[in-house]
Amino acid sequence: DAKTTQPPSMDCAEGRAANLPCNHSTISGNEYVYWYRQIHSQGPQYIIHGLKNNETNEMASLIITEDRKSSTLILPHATLRDTAVYYCIVRVAISGGSYIPTFGRGTSLIVHP
Amino acid sequence: DAGVIQSPRHEVTEMGQEVTLRCKPISGHDYLFWYRQTMMRGLELLIYFNNNVPIDDSGMPEDRFSAKMPNASFSTLKIQPSEPRDSAVYFCASSGGMNTEAFFGQGTRLTVV
């Protein structure tokens, strides 16, 4: 599986967009990019995933570069409740579309007033 | 669905005692994962099951750890005998069916004194 690199920490002002980068330069053509976050004392929570096209849902947007070597998770209007550790995962789908989430250290995002 | 349910939420036990952690996955999911999270090592995958069968237990740290999934709606992670270094938060997750992402429980915080 492709290795990912994320900055250990970032901060963002409340109401501003939070842009969290992830490098995955060894990604293969059939590997998806998934993002999870973990709010303190809770289990990780799925945010969004994509293969090559940009994706958007009610939580965030995912921008994947054309060469797929990096991606950015965008929280368009960060709130204090978005303070969490954000994990970028690159995984090959296994049978039935499932995959095995394997986590690195992630990015600790602090949203301040 | 109530999501992935883990019990107990907190467990304090003395060194040498047997500890059993329980997990109820989301109905219809055919993959179940057990993770351990510590400050030092982050989120580590211990073992995962597919259709109640253990597929990969290479992450289980020692023979003191064992996991079972007797049916599609229940799994246990047992530590016997427990040691202080087993203190961590243990997460269970499930995936499958219409969902490719994994859903995590709230975790069990284990303290071995």
Side-chain angles (χ1 to χ4, degrees), chain A residues 5-37:
Chain A
T5 304
Q6 298 178 254
S9 64
M10 294 181 64
D11 70 287
C12 173
E14 188 177 21
R16 296 294 187 101
N19 299 290
L20 292 95
C22 179
N23 286 320
H24 32 78
S25 58
T26 60
I27 193 169
S28 300
N30 62 346
E31 290 185 310
Y32 288 74
V33 180
Y34 279 76
W35 283 83
Y36 284 76
R37 74 179 182 184

Side-chain angles (χ1 to χ4, degrees), chain B residues 73-111:
Chain B
S73 60
F74 183 65
S75 177
T76 59
L77 178 67
K78 186 178 293 186
I79 308 172
Q80 165 65 17
S82 59
E83 297 182 4
R85 59 193 167 121
D86 301 330
S87 298
V89 181
Y90 291 80
F91 288 103
C92 175
S94 70
S95 70
M98 298 296 291
N99 308 115
T100 60
E101 67 268 28
F103 291 80
F104 284 75
Q106 290 298 299
T108 295
R109 181 173 295 276
L110 173 66
T111 303

Side-chain angles (χ1 to χ4, degrees), chain A residues 64-107:
Chain A
I64 303 174
T65 58
E66 193 168 341
D67 63 6
R68 303 207 327 118
K69 293 183 184 299
S70 66
S71 60
T72 301
L73 179 75
I74 300 173
L75 308 178
H77 305 287
T79 70
L80 299 179
R81 289 175 295 179
D82 292 322
T83 293
V85 177
Y86 287 78
Y87 297 97
C88 170
I89 299 169
V90 175
R91 288 304 308 206
V92 177
I94 50 181
S95 65
S98 290
Y99 66 99
I100 307 162
T102 306
F103 296 86
R105 286 296 190 171
T107 296

